[in-house]
Amino acid sequence: MTRSLTARRYELDWLRTIAFALLILYHIGMYYVADWGWHIKSTQTFTGLQDLMILTNPWRMSLLFLLSGMALSLVLPRISRLKLLGLRSKRLLIPLLFTMFVVVVPQVYYEALSQQLIQPGYLQFWWQYINPVTDLLPDHHSPIGLLTWNHAWFIPYLWCYSLLVLVFYPLLNSMSQAGWLQQLQGRYALVLVLGLMFWAWWTLRADFPSTHALVDDWYNHAKYFLVFIAGFLLARQDLWWQQLVLNRRLWLLTALCCYCLIIAERNDWFDYYSGPTQSETLHNTVFGSVLVLNHWLWLLAVLGYAGAYLTTINNPLLRYCNDAILPWYILHQTLIILFASWLKPLAIPVMAEFPLVLLLTVAGCWLGYEVIRRSAVLSWCFGLKPPVRNTEGQSQAQAA
C-alpha cells in the first residue's frame, strides 16, 4: 500500500519515544558500568554490564538521526525551507543555549566535586562556569571556557545536518524522485550505505575518535550524516519501506548474530586464531564489516518491526510523548547525576539503588515537563509552543 508523502507516520513517533527511553536506561547504566568513563561513577561497578550496553550502544544515536532525517523529509513538502529553518533554529538552538548555561551545569559541578577538583559552592562554580576566561579547571577548557553541551551534543549536530539538507534540498528532492532511484531495489541501496559506512570506519575512525565537539568529530559526522540522509531518502521510497518491513525477521536474526560475534571478539573467544601468521588487515576487515553490519541491521530490524506493528497506534500517551520528548531529553542526564550523587553516600545496594535512580529520574522529568509547559518563558527555553491560555474560562469568570 502506498502512503502519502505527507501522511503522519506514527511508527516513527513511537520509535523516537522508545529510543529516548532507552537513552535514560543507558545513561543510568553508565553510572554503574566498569571501565567506561562518565561524569560520576558508582562505587559498585560491573564489567559484565558492558556486554549488555553494547547491544544498543552502536546504533541507538544513529536511530535518532535516521528518524530525524525521515521526519524532515516528510515535513518539507508542507513548509517552505526558510520557514522550516526558522522553526528548527527556534526549537533547537534556544534550548541548546539554555541547556549549556543552565541545565548541564550540575553535571560539570558534581563531576568536578567527585574528583575533588573544586570546593563545594554551586553558585560560585556557576559564575566561573559561564565566564569564558575563567582560570578554573583549565584542563577541562574548550575555546569557550568550561561551557559545554555534554549529552545535548545531538542538538547542534541535528541542526547542522538539517541546515545542509535544507540548502541542498532541490538536489536531494530531484534525486529522490529520479526514476532510477524509484526502481532501485532495497538490497542495492543497502549495499551502497554499507560500503560508505565501512569506508568511513576504515579511513576516519582511528584518526578522528569520537569527541562530540562538532568541529573535529569527522568519523561521527560521516556516520551520522550518512544515516540522516539515508532516513531522508527512505521516507520517500515506498518500495524500500515495504521490503524493509517484509524482511524484518531476517534483519533481527542477522543483527543478533553480529552482536554475538562482537561480544565473542570482546571476550577473546577467538584467541586460538592468533599467531605469527595472523593478518591484522584481514582481522580489521572482518571486524569492521561485522561492526558495520551490526549497526545497520539493528536499524533495519527496529524500523521493520515498527512498520509492521505501530503504524496505526495513535493514543494520548503518544501525543504526550511527542510534546514532552525534548524537555525530557534535556533534563534526564542532569537528574540522573543529581540523584545518583545524593544517593551515593547512603551506600544502597545496587539492586535497590538502580530502580530508585530510574524512578526519581522519570518522576523528575515528568514534574519538570509539567512545570515547563505551563510557563511561557520555560516553554520558549525548552523549544515548546507557548501554553494555550484558557480564554473561555477567563471570559466566564469576568462575566460572573
Side-chain angles (χ1 to χ4, degrees):
M1 179 179 67
T2 301
R3 287 188 287 186
S4 167
L5 181 61
T6 58
R8 186 77 186 188
R9 305 286 284 268
Y10 298 120
E11 67 272 32
L12 305 186
D13 295 333
W14 280 115
L15 277 180
R16 184 167 56 247
T17 298
I18 294 169
F20 277 112
L22 286 175
L23 194 61
I24 293 177
L25 291 172
Y26 185 87
H27 282 152
I28 296 177
M30 287 297 295
Y31 178 58
Y32 295 103
V33 68
D35 302 326
W36 289 6
W38 203 54
H39 305 284
I40 61 171
K41 300 297 288 189
S42 171
T43 55
Q44 309 169 81
T45 58
F46 306 90
T47 304
L49 189 56
Q50 294 178 6
D51 291 345
L52 177 61
M53 296 176 69
I54 285 173
L55 180 63
T56 63
N57 175 279
W59 53 268
R60 57 187 175 81
M61 294 306 300
S62 290
L63 177 60
L64 293 175
F65 282 111
L66 184 72
L67 297 172
S68 298
M70 296 181 74
L72 183 61
S73 182
L74 295 172
V75 77
L76 264 171
R78 304 197 303 266
I79 304 177
S80 70
R81 286 186 287 163
L82 187 59
K83 182 178 180 181
L84 187 55
L85 177 60
L87 292 174
R88 283 251 159 163
S89 299
K90 180 180 178 181
R91 180 168 171 78
L92 295 176
L93 296 185
I94 293 173
L96 176 64
L97 291 174
F98 184 78
T99 300
M100 293 175 65
F101 278 89
V102 178
V103 179
V104 303
V105 185
Q107 300 180 28
V108 185
Y109 174 74
Y110 279 103
E111 180 180 359
L113 206 59
S114 68
Q115 299 173 13
Q116 299 181 338
L117 299 176
I118 60 172
Q119 295 296 320
Y122 183 79
L123 290 180
Q124 295 90 330
F125 174 81
W126 180 78
W127 182 249
Q128 293 297 320
Y129 170 85
I130 65 172
N131 179 7
V133 295
T134 181
D135 57 0
L136 183 66
L137 304 177
D139 294 338
H140 293 70
H141 280 202
S142 70
I144 53 175
L146 288 173
L147 276 171
T148 179
W149 47 54
N150 275 3
H151 72 288
W153 65 268
F154 172 77
I155 296 177
Y157 281 55
L158 178 58
W159 185 85
C160 289
Y161 298 165
S162 300
L163 176 63
L164 288 173
V165 167
L166 291 175
V167 170
F168 294 102
Y169 176 64
L171 175 62
L172 289 169
N173 190 44
S174 63
M175 181 187 300
S176 67
Q177 295 177 357
W180 67 269
L181 191 64
Q182 296 282 349
Q183 298 173 9
L184 182 66
Q185 292 292 319
R187 56 178 171 271
Y188 299 125
L190 178 58
V191 169
L192 177 61
V193 295
L194 289 174
L196 290 173
M197 182 74 79
F198 181 80
W199 173 84
W201 183 87
W202 187 272
T203 60
L204 298 174
R205 180 186 59 89
D207 294 331
F208 299 99
S210 178
T211 65
H212 297 154
L214 188 64
V215 294
D216 59 355
D217 208 14
W218 293 112
Y219 170 62
N220 274 339
H221 285 315
K223 177 173 67 173
Y224 293 133
F225 189 57
L226 173 62
V227 170
F228 190 80
I229 293 297
F232 183 92
L233 295 176
L234 174 61
R236 294 168 175 244
Q237 306 302 321
D238 233 35
L239 177 62
W240 294 359
W241 186 258
Q242 292 169 12
Q243 293 173 345
L244 187 152
V245 174
L246 287 173
N247 292 294
R248 62 188 181 277
R249 296 178 183 85
L250 174 63
W251 310 137
L252 179 59
L253 179 61
T254 48
L256 286 170
C257 290
C258 289
Y259 168 70
C260 291
L261 289 173
I262 292 171
I263 297 304
E265 199 276 342
R266 282 179 52 83
N267 290 276
D268 301 323
W269 293 355
F270 299 132
D271 272 0
Y272 60 89
Y273 284 115
S274 63
T277 60
Q278 184 185 34
S279 169
E280 182 178 354
T281 301
L282 178 61
H283 173 271
N284 289 340
T285 301
V286 173
F287 185 60
S289 300
V290 171
L291 288 176
V292 170
L293 282 169
N294 179 75
H295 175 271
W296 274 102
L297 290 170
W298 279 111
L299 293 178
L300 297 179
V302 297
L303 284 174
Y305 277 93
Y309 299 109
L310 299 177
T311 57
T312 60
I313 302 177
N314 179 28
N315 56 34
L317 175 61
L318 181 61
R319 292 191 287 273
Y320 170 86
C321 292
N322 283 338
D323 293 334
I325 198 164
L326 184 59
W328 277 57
Y329 168 67
I330 291 173
L331 293 173
H332 82 277
Q333 183 163 290
T334 294
L335 292 175
I336 292 170
I337 291 173
L338 281 173
F339 293 131
S341 297
W342 295 345
L343 293 172
K344 188 174 182 178
L346 302 179
I348 302 172
V350 68
M351 295 302 293
E353 187 183 52
F354 180 91
L356 184 56
V357 172
L358 175 60
L359 178 63
L360 290 172
T361 301
V362 170
C365 288
W366 173 80
L367 180 60
Y369 172 65
E370 292 302 314
V371 173
I372 291 165
R373 72 189 185 100
R374 287 170 169 79
S375 165
V377 174
L378 289 177
S379 293
W380 180 75
C381 291
F382 280 85
L384 300 179
K385 295 178 180 178
V388 178
R389 296 183 180 276
N390 187 359
T391 54
E392 181 180 352
Q394 290 178 348
S395 299
Q396 291 176 353
Q398 292 173 357

